[in-house]
């Protein structure tokens, strides 16, 4: 009888649908930043984890080799504008030029999908420019404020206490504390069963094709933002 009960339980468990693994996209703004970005790339490579880097044109001029290193590491590149100046007072033409100047500094085989305006300020002019440049706008739904809180443990806890399946996490590859926090976050979420993907992979898996000029923040499993 006991064997029959155990067999019945196993059949019920096998009949249940498999629970999909939770996913998240780790994104980094404002770089590249030399040795700090290099250390981050090394840590992500050791863990086999991809990320999405929103790069500034003026920093690409300072560290031109890092864009290629990012791509070769299996990561995604998005555009963060050339100057990192606020775009809420720019015209669509000025924003387009910020995008184009940055795009010209990227490797030839780089095809950005997303644009993220500085501060996430998605004004009407930003959306018009993004549509013109065939880029969707990606902001975020989880911001641990690592640019202001230079304590790795606090940043780590801010993410781990609030993470949800499909979240886009905002961080910056501009300080050693941010790199330390990011890698600790990766380790903890991998232990929880999370899978890290690039922003465009997450969008494709959860939403299909994205639309240029439309703002996205995250991609939860139910399809609602």
């Amino acid at each position: 009888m006991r064997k029959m009960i155990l067999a019945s339980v196993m059949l019920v468990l096998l009949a249940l649908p498999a629970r999909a693994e939770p996913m998240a996209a780790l994104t980094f703004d404002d770089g590249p930043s030399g040795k700090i970005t290099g250390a981050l790339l090394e840590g992500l490579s050791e863990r086999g984890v991809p990320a999405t880097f929103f790069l500034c044109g003026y920093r690409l001029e300072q560290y031109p080799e890092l864009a290629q290193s990012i791509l070769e590491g299996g990561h995604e590149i998005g555009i963060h504008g050339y100057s990192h100046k606020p775009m809420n007072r720019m015209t669509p033409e000025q924003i387009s030029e910020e995008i184009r100047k940055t795009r010209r500094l990227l490797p030839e085989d780089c095809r950005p999908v997303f644009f993220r305006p500085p501060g996430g300020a998605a004004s009407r002019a930003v959306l018009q420019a993004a549509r013109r440049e065939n880029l969707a706008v990606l902001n975020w739904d989880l911001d641990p404020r690592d640019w202001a809180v230079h304590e790795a443990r606090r940043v780590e806890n801010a993410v781990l206490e609030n993470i949800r399946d499909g979240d886009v996490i905002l961080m910056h590859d501009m300080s050693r504390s941010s790199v330390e926090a990011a890698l600790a976050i990766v380790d903890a979420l991998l232990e929880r069963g999370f899978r890290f993907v690039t922003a465009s992979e997450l969008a494709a898996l959860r939403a299909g094709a994205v639309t240029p000029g439309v703002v996205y923040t995250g991609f939860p499993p139910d399809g609602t933002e």
Side-chain angles (χ1 to χ4, degrees):
M1 176 65 71
R2 185 177 181 181
K3 290 183 178 179
M4 291 179 62
I5 293 173
L6 289 173
S8 298
V9 170
M10 289 300 297
L11 287 172
V12 170
L13 291 174
L14 290 172
L16 292 174
R19 183 178 179 181
E21 59 187 344
M23 294 186 289
L26 193 57
T27 68
F28 295 91
D29 283 10
D30 298 358
S33 58
K35 292 182 179 179
I36 292 172
T37 299
L40 176 61
L41 291 174
E42 182 177 347
L44 293 174
S45 176
E46 290 171 354
R47 293 159 174 80
V49 164
T52 300
F53 291 79
F54 285 91
L55 304 182
C56 292
Y58 82 97
R59 298 196 69 86
L60 283 167
E61 290 179 336
Q62 296 173 9
Y63 306 103
E65 74 286 352
L66 280 174
Q68 189 64 46
S69 296
I70 289 169
L71 284 183
E72 290 176 356
H75 307 289
E76 177 180 20
I77 289 177
I79 292 177
H80 201 38
Y82 178 84
S83 66
H84 201 265
K85 292 179 180 179
M87 293 182 173
N88 55 338
R89 295 185 180 180
M90 293 185 185
T91 66
E93 292 74 22
Q94 290 171 325
I95 298 168
S96 285
E97 183 58 20
E98 285 263 337
I99 294 171
R100 292 170 186 171
K101 285 177 69 175
T102 305
R103 200 194 294 266
R104 287 194 288 266
L105 295 167
L106 297 174
E108 290 185 5
D109 56 343
C110 182
R111 300 290 183 270
V113 174
F114 288 114
F115 167 54
R116 177 178 285 167
S123 65
R124 180 179 297 179
V126 164
L127 300 185
Q128 290 175 354
R131 189 179 306 113
R132 178 184 299 168
E133 301 302 323
N134 198 35
L135 295 167
V137 175
L138 182 68
N139 282 340
W140 56 86
D141 41 23
L142 184 50
D143 175 11
R145 292 175 57 83
D146 65 305
W147 57 271
V149 180
H150 296 291
E151 296 179 40
R153 181 58 63 87
R154 285 180 60 191
V155 172
E156 176 188 353
N157 289 341
V159 172
L160 298 183
E161 292 171 3
N162 296 284
I163 188 73
R164 300 168 302 176
D165 185 7
D167 274 355
V168 173
I169 305 168
L170 169 64
M171 296 194 71
H172 301 77
D173 52 325
M174 301 296 290
S175 69
R176 295 191 181 280
S177 63
S178 288
V179 171
E180 181 183 344
L183 297 180
I185 289 164
V186 167
D187 290 340
L189 290 182
L190 288 175
E191 287 187 3
R192 292 188 190 179
F194 269 79
R195 174 186 170 196
F196 284 94
V197 292
T198 65
S200 62
E201 288 171 338
L202 182 58
L205 289 166
R206 292 286 174 79
V210 294
T211 303
V214 172
V215 181
Y216 299 86
T217 54
F219 302 94
D222 61 4
T224 60
E225 290 196 47

